[in-house]
Amino acid sequence: MTLTELRYVVALAQERHFGRAAQKCFVTQPTLSLALAKLEDELGVKLFERNKNEVLVTAKGQGIVEQARRVLDEVGKIQQLAKGGQDQLSGALRLGAIPTIGPYLLPDLIPILRKRAPAMPLAIEENLTGNLAPMLRDGELDAVLIALPFALPGVKTRVVYEEPFSVVVPEGHKWGSRRDVKPQELSGENLLVLNNGHCFREQVLEACPGQSNTALPEGRAGSSLETIRNMVASGLGVSVLPASALTARYATKLLKVVPFASPVPTRKVALAWRASFDRPAAIELLAESIGAMKMPCLRFARAA
């Protein structure tokens, strides 16, 4: 049994496809297949069920896959120590962020990090929570920025800020001069939301009674907040955006921002990382740097 074979096991368990797993490991498909067949013979256990469309982990293989992940994580710690890992702020930090956070937080965060930790660049993965979670669990990412709730075994979370939501309407809309809007009033409007898979979509629908969570008519969903913003500006409907997406740099005369009446819907944004991650100083600096951003629209969490 070798570390290379364990990497193949973890890659195939995640990708569920020999071709994609081989590409991820930078080997040919026959090389990966032969290595896994050899390992199964050595262990006397069938790790994977193979069919034409998908590869599945067997019941006995599941425990071996989990142990392989832990072994590779511990090996990573050894490699870090061998490279002089005492300096936890040296080397790239692999950071994941959901699409409704990354574009609005990173432009203010990265300059702060560049000053505080110039030897720690960010390798950024923007993706949905459902995709970031296994990447964090499997060690492909060091930390992720997500919206709560978020729970994953072996993963710690730390709230870094809370932000309110606001309604956005097109220029000339009847609410343009309103002081505030109650969430239930949006039930009579064409509410534009993100596509399925975005946690912010669920948060908006939960905050606005009367909106369907499943069968929204065609044309009412977008792939990003910027798409939604442009759809509202064009006059297609109204929407709800987080405060970080409504700062001065995103202002346009074609949109009006109308606050929600109290109690204002909000979301909590958290930093999540594996409890076994061997660079806690990097996580601490990242959290502190987020708290140092000059964004009055956000309510930053106090340091623990």
Side-chain angles (χ1 to χ4, degrees), residues 90-148:
S90 178
L93 185 72
R94 300 168 298 173
L95 178 67
I98 60 175
T100 60
I101 292 176
Y104 310 104
L105 193 74
L106 295 176
D108 290 284
L109 174 61
I110 288 177
I112 297 174
L113 280 175
R114 286 283 290 172
K115 290 182 179 179
R116 297 185 174 195
M120 190 180 76
L122 293 183
I124 299 164
E125 169 74 23
E126 184 178 285
N127 218 317
L128 301 177
T129 302
N131 297 324
L132 293 177
M135 295 177 74
L136 178 64
R137 179 199 63 200
D138 297 344
E140 294 182 53
L141 293 173
D142 300 321
V144 297
L145 283 164
I146 41 79
L148 296 181

Side-chain angles (χ1 to χ4, degrees), residues 180-220:
D180 55 43
V181 172
K182 296 179 181 178
Q184 56 266 33
E185 292 184 81
L186 274 73
S187 62
E189 296 290 319
N190 188 39
L191 180 65
L192 308 175
V193 296
L194 289 170
N195 292 327
N196 279 316
H198 290 272
C199 56
F200 187 68
R201 166 197 172 99
E202 309 308 320
Q203 291 168 337
V204 169
L205 292 173
E206 183 179 346
C208 301
Q211 295 290 340
S212 170
N213 197 1
T214 53
L216 288 172
E218 185 178 356
R220 288 182 60 183

Side-chain angles (χ1 to χ4, degrees), residues 156-177:
K156 293 184 176 182
T157 58
R158 173 174 171 176
V159 175
V160 286
Y161 65 84
E162 184 175 4
E163 63 178 329
F165 302 162
S166 292
V167 179
V168 288
V169 301
E171 183 184 28
H173 191 276
K174 61 185 179 182
W175 291 350
S177 58

Side-chain angles (χ1 to χ4, degrees), residues 1-10 35-36 38-39 42:
M1 184 188 310
T2 66
L3 291 176
T4 297
E5 290 169 344
L6 294 184
R7 291 190 181 95
Y8 293 169
V9 167
V10 171
L36 289 176
K38 173 179 171 293
L39 180 61
E42 179 184 339

Side-chain angles (χ1 to χ4, degrees), residues 47-60:
L47 301 177
F48 300 97
E49 296 178 13
R50 301 154 172 85
N51 58 50
K52 291 183 179 180
N53 300 319
E54 192 177 34
V55 177
L56 301 175
V57 182
T58 64
K60 290 184 178 180

